[in-house]
Amino acid sequence: MSEISLGIIGGGQLGSMLSISARKLNIKTIIYSDDKDAPAQNFCNEFIFASYDDKDKINDFVQKVDIITYEFENIPYETLSEMNKLKTVSPKPSVNRLIQHRLAEKDFINKLNIRTTRYAGINNKSDLNALEDFLPGILKTTTMGYDGKGQYPIKRLEDIENLKIDFNKEYILEKLVKLKKEISVIITRFSNNRYEIYEPIENVHEDQILKQSKIPANINDKIFEQSKDWSIQIAEELKYVGTLCIEFFIDRNDNLYVNEIAPRVHNSGHLTINAFNVSQFENHVRAVCSLEQIPLKKISNAEMINLIGEQIQPYRQNLKLSDNQFFFDYLKKEIKEKRKMGHLTTLK
Ligand code: ADP
Ligand code: MG
């Protein structure tokens, strides 16, 4: 049997972990990234460094692969849809286009009668004047944000004067949810009503960057069920193929809200590598390559911490770990403040 070649767009840590899982399944990976230092080149079979609009390089990539997927959402829609004419792109380009735009994404969720925080589109500065009851809130760029980038917390309208906001861009203003907790649900959909879903994961953010994830999440039964039901509903509605993550807020009155959808494997799911028989990465590869679906089994409770910036150093210097601890170094060339450098999972 000839080997399957899986093309992955994006070369960050998620691309690395997808490549590791693919290799285990005898699938070759070819990574396409516009970052010449992309860490995933250490883990894939072949690496193509080019911009996301380089037609010749895109063509080389498409010729070499059987199936295409992606590990981050900020890819031009045209790039994905051109590729999809020649080889299947999973998840579908239209799903990515919807989700990469915060306003379109929230409209979609609300149409399903699923709760989000209150929000409004902002096209110029004066739009904000009518929106005082959305404050305190967070102003976010509608596209291209991640790890809190492109986000401005706003308590009062006067705050806007002190922030250097470029109103040539499009924004969304979201009312701040009085957070009790954040959770995420990871689901891998194979086809109609065929999916594997992981239990909700409890997440702690610091400076809008994920710091810690753990299972079991300390939540009531209603939230446990509702977060899973909503995730299944979203995955089915999108006719999604692959691994999807839904991020949720829980407010102080135990109301559940969808924060956002990630059309890809997700940082909060790194603990699935060690805590389940099949990780979110392996499940993604299985779904997009139409391999066998294996029923999920939990092996252990777990906690994952992200090692951000300099926090990676002691682990790189051979810090002694116990048998229940698993350290991953993303092998990023440069240590930068606020950059995710690796993670540590502890089985409990
Ligand atoms: P990113 O795309 O950077 O992950 P998010 O919209 O998920 O952006 O925001 C990152 C984090 O910031 C959230 O996980 C949460 O901790 C905080 N946050 C964002 N929006 C809100 C909100 N409307 N209410 C309360 N907290 C928020
Ligand atoms: Mg988020």
Side-chain angles (χ1 to χ4, degrees):
M1 207 180 79
S2 71
E3 215 179 38
I4 300 174
S5 289
L6 174 63
I8 302 172
I9 309 169
Q13 59 268 26
L14 300 173
S16 303
M17 290 182 259
L18 282 169
S19 298
I20 295 167
S21 288
R23 189 179 295 260
K24 231 181 81 184
L25 298 166
N26 250 329
I27 287 173
K28 249 180 80 180
T29 50
I30 301 172
I31 297 235
Y32 190 107
S33 169
D34 69 351
D35 172 8
K36 76 171 172 3
D37 294 329
Q41 65 193 282
N42 297 299
F43 300 92
C44 61
N45 295 85
E46 201 180 324
F47 178 63
I48 299 175
F49 160 55
S51 73
Y52 294 121
D53 55 8
D54 182 331
K55 291 212 160 67
D56 291 339
K57 289 284 176 56
I58 289 174
N59 195 45
D60 283 353
F61 171 71
V62 174
Q63 295 309 323
K64 283 182 175 172
V65 301
D66 299 305
I67 298 153
I68 298 168
T69 190
Y70 41 94
E71 59 101 73
F72 78 121
E73 52 260 56
N74 295 329
I75 306 163
Y77 171 70
E78 290 68 34
T79 305
L80 291 182
S81 71
E82 281 304 311
M83 289 180 175
N84 198 37
K85 287 179 185 158
L86 298 165
K87 301 280 164 70
T88 304
V89 175
S90 283
K92 284 179 298 190
S94 57
V95 166
N96 189 60
R97 181 177 51 185
L98 177 76
I99 292 175
Q100 71 181 193
H101 194 280
R102 291 187 192 275
L103 208 56
E105 177 188 29
K106 283 215 165 54
D107 287 346
F108 161 77
I109 297 164
N110 280 279
K111 273 200 196 115
L112 299 177
N113 280 323
I114 293 175
R115 190 183 304 116
T116 66
T117 189
R118 291 182 62 206
Y119 63 99
I122 307 289
N123 290 314
N124 47 59
K125 200 171 159 188
S126 61
D127 290 351
L128 286 161
N129 296 333
L131 296 169
E132 208 141 7
D133 61 329
F134 285 65
L135 302 181
I138 305 186
L139 193 67
K140 302 179 181 179
T141 50
T142 49
T143 58
M144 302 297 276
Y146 68 98
D147 286 348
K149 293 188 173 65
Q151 299 193 9
Y152 308 90
I154 293 175
K155 280 206 186 93
R156 294 168 302 264
L157 280 179
E158 303 86 82
D159 293 350
I160 295 154
E161 303 304 329
N162 304 324
L163 296 165
K164 287 200 189 75
I165 300 175
D166 170 10
F167 278 99
N168 291 316
K169 292 186 184 158
E170 224 187 306
Y171 293 86
I172 178 173
L173 177 64
E174 292 184 16
K175 177 127 178 144
L176 200 69
V177 174
K178 291 196 175 105
L179 289 180
K180 176 174 169 185
K181 214 170 266 251
E182 292 185 74
I183 59 170
S184 56
V185 171
I186 292 176
I187 177 167
T188 307
R189 183 175 177 276
F190 287 74
S191 61
N192 285 354
N193 285 312
R194 280 206 331 153
Y195 51 82
E196 296 298 328
I197 186 163
Y198 297 88
E199 69 183 64
I201 300 163
E202 182 169 337
N203 301 317
V204 177
H205 290 80
E206 271 171 23
D207 296 331
Q208 285 139 304
I209 302 178
L210 182 67
K211 180 59 200 156
Q212 186 214 52
S213 295
K214 66 165 188 178
I215 48 169
N218 185 8
I219 51 177
N220 67 37
D221 292 349
K222 191 172 157 222
I223 289 177
F224 185 95
E225 290 307 329
Q226 182 150 63
S227 62
K228 286 175 68 170
D229 288 349
W230 282 355
S231 301
I232 294 165
Q233 195 186 342
I234 289 169
E236 286 298 326
E237 186 67 27
L238 293 170
K239 298 202 183 323
Y240 196 90
V241 174
T243 295
L244 175 74
C245 177
I246 318 287
E247 298 177 14
F248 296 91
F249 295 143
I250 302 169
D251 74 10
R252 292 181 195 157
N253 298 318
D254 274 338
N255 293 308
L256 185 66
Y257 306 75
V258 168
N259 167 27
E260 62 171 350
I261 305 172
R264 51 174 172 80
V265 288
H266 192 260
N267 189 172
S268 64
H270 290 358
L271 52 74
T272 64
I273 296 175
N274 309 101
F276 288 84
N277 62 333
V278 181
S279 72
Q280 63 163 347
F281 302 99
E282 180 175 337
N283 259 329
H284 184 71
V285 175
R286 284 182 178 280
V288 302
C289 297
S290 309
L291 306 184
E292 186 192 356
Q293 180 182 348
I294 296 176
L296 262 189
K297 276 199 212 84
K298 183 173 171 181
I299 296 166
S300 173
N301 289 332
E303 177 189 298
M304 182 234 41
I305 55 161
N306 271 334
L307 302 169
I308 296 167
E310 293 290 338
Q311 293 166 352
I312 189 85
Q313 291 291 30
Y315 294 91
R316 281 191 171 160
Q317 285 144 18
N318 283 329
L319 190 81
K320 273 261 169 298
L321 299 177
S322 13
D323 290 348
N324 60 339
Q325 290 186 308
F326 302 88
F327 165 56
F328 293 79
D329 187 337
Y330 303 152
L331 306 179
K332 291 186 182 173
K333 277 214 171 129
E334 222 187 312
I335 296 182
K336 281 194 199 157
E337 201 196 348
K338 297 194 172 178
R339 177 180 252 187
K340 293 170 180 169
M341 300 300 300
H343 73 264
L344 178 77
T345 298
T346 306
L347 299 182
K348 303 251 163 161

